[in-house]
């Protein structure tokens, strides 16, 4: 996985359009849920989830983006399960199973915020100290004193 940095994160315009289209798919899916439009709501699960997975895959080299987009995809799975269950009046039976993808999404973000991100900060600090020590050693070895 790629290292985190303070570099500017630039999104190509074509990719940004797909991300924005994803939001449209998601809103249409949820509007169909609210309006109880079963067929269209169920159909809209597929483009919404496929684009969410594609976005996660496309950003797999940036751990922060990957983990957040995987959490979003899992949220869409849980949300879609719940929607279908409500459409067919079996939500009391299915809703407990929605906890699984919701929880996996939360665990993915816990991994990022509680383990990966602090570890990267610790590595960056250690690297900065090592670089500073190496610079100091180079100056001392060349006869330059501070």
């Amino acid at each position: 996985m790629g290292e985190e940095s303070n570099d500017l994160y630039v999104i190509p315009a074509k990719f940004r359009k797909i991300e924005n289209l994803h939001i449209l798919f998601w809103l249409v899916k949820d509007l169909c849920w609210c309006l109880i439009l079963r067929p269209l709501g169920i159909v809209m699960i597929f483009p919404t989830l496929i684009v969410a997975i594609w976005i996660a895959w496309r950003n797999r080299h940036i751990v922060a983006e990957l983990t957040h987009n995987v959490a979003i995809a899992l949220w869409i799975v849980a949300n879609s399960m719940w929607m279908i269950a409500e459409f067919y009046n079996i939500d009391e039976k299915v809703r407990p199973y929605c906890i699984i993808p919701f929880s996996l999404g939360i665990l993915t973000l816990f991994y990022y915020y509680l383990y990966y991100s602090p570890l990267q900060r610790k590595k960056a600090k250690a690297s900065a100290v090592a670089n500073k020590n190496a610079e100091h050693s180079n100056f001392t070895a060349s006869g330059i004193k501070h």
Side-chain angles (χ1 to χ4, degrees), residues 7-108:
D7 294 339
L8 183 63
Y9 175 51
V10 179
I11 301 171
K14 183 178 178 182
F15 183 63
R16 189 65 182 162
K17 287 178 184 176
I18 293 170
E19 285 185 331
N20 291 340
L21 186 60
H22 175 251
I23 294 167
L24 175 64
F25 291 159
W26 196 342
L27 289 172
V28 170
K29 180 191 78 61
D30 281 359
L31 180 62
C32 291
W33 184 1
C34 290
L35 297 174
I36 312 172
L37 300 173
R38 284 184 213 168
L40 185 57
I42 291 170
V43 166
M44 289 307 297
I45 292 169
F46 299 101
T48 306
L49 188 56
I50 289 167
V51 174
I53 292 167
W54 182 82
I55 291 169
W57 177 256
R58 177 82 166 52
N59 287 305
R60 69 190 179 279
H61 60 284
I62 305 169
V63 177
E65 292 294 314
L66 174 64
T67 53
H68 285 82
N69 285 300
V70 165
I72 287 170
L74 289 164
W75 178 5
I76 293 167
V77 168
N79 183 262
S80 298
M81 290 169 58
W82 192 349
M83 177 184 74
I84 291 169
E86 282 192 3
F87 281 164
Y88 294 99
N89 296 315
I90 56 170
D91 51 314
E92 294 304 319
K93 294 177 185 173
V94 175
R95 195 174 320 143
Y97 295 103
C98 296
I99 293 169
I100 296 168
F102 278 135
S103 298
L104 289 173
I106 289 171
L107 287 173
T108 301

